[in-house]
């Protein structure tokens, strides 16, 4: 995209989307939020790879949409790489505990062997690149619900 911008001098927008969650997620799509919730709701062990200290940034879907719109229509975002996520991070173990709590489950949290491709921290991964956050949701337990 940036090569196209440089060659043709046209406005470009690059949005890098973080872990998004929200209504109607498919339980078997491989993403961690629906996987943990499904495991907890079914009373199955919640599977965490490694010790669970790896972190992720989560973004509620309506915040993502707002961020995409802001990326498209904000002059400051023109020709920039914009991270659409949440500057706050949660460990995977914290997320497993939140999923268990929200589901009202007693599921065991089962630690499996760490995967070599696992990224330790979302923000550290992005820190080497110049990019900005436009929007993000907080992942919180308030009355038993994930809040966007």
């Amino acid at each position: 995209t940036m090569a196209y911008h440089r060659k043709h001098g046209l406005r470009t927008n690059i949005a890098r989307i973080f872990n998004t969650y929200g209504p109607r997620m498919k339980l078997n799509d491989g993403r961690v939020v629906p996987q943990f919730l499904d495991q907890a709701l079914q009373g199955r062990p919640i599977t965490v790879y490694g010790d669970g200290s790896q972190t992720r940034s989560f973004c509620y879907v309506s915040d993502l949409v707002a961020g995409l719109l802001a990326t498209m229509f904000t002059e400051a975002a023109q020709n920039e790489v914009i991270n659409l996520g949440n500057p706050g991070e949660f460990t995977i173990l914290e997320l497993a505990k939140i999923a268990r709590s929200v589901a009202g489950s007693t599921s065991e949290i089962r630690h499996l062997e760490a995967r070599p491709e696992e990224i330790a921290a979302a923000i550290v991964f992005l820190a080497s690149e110049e990019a900005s956050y436009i929007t993000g949701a907080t992942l919180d337990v308030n009355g038993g619900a994930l809040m966007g």
Side-chain angles (χ1 to χ4, degrees):
T1 303
M2 290 309 290
Y4 189 85
H5 161 70
R6 285 187 211 89
K7 181 174 180 167
H8 299 287
L10 297 175
R11 176 186 173 139
T12 59
N13 296 84
I14 301 171
R16 190 165 23 192
I17 299 170
F18 279 63
N19 293 290
T20 304
Y21 69 96
R24 296 182 207 55
M25 293 182 76
K26 292 184 178 184
L27 295 178
N28 62 350
D29 73 358
R31 290 186 279 177
V32 69
V33 171
Q35 177 183 323
F36 282 2
L37 288 172
D38 184 44
Q39 290 171 334
L41 288 168
Q42 300 300 321
R44 295 191 321 254
I46 299 171
T47 53
V48 172
Y49 292 95
D51 64 5
S53 63
Q54 61 274 37
T55 62
R56 296 293 176 268
S57 170
F58 297 97
C59 185
Y60 193 72
V61 66
S62 62
D63 292 318
L64 173 64
V65 171
L68 287 169
L69 290 169
T71 299
M72 289 188 298
F73 299 113
T74 301
E75 202 61 33
Q78 181 176 335
N79 308 320
E80 296 292 332
V81 176
I82 305 297
N83 291 325
L84 296 177
N86 184 339
E89 295 182 68
F90 285 82
T91 68
I92 294 299
L93 185 56
E94 286 174 314
L95 180 64
K97 290 176 181 177
I98 290 170
R100 185 171 58 185
S101 173
V102 167
S105 175
T106 58
S107 290
E108 158 198 9
I109 295 176
R110 183 175 295 162
H111 294 268
L112 302 178
E113 186 174 328
R115 298 182 293 192
E117 71 275 10
E118 194 77 43
I119 298 170
I123 301 302
V124 172
F125 173 69
L126 296 169
S128 63
E129 303 176 28
E130 292 184 19
S132 303
Y133 284 93
I134 281 195
T135 188
T138 58
L139 182 64
D140 195 8
V141 177
N142 184 359
L146 294 175
M147 306 302 291

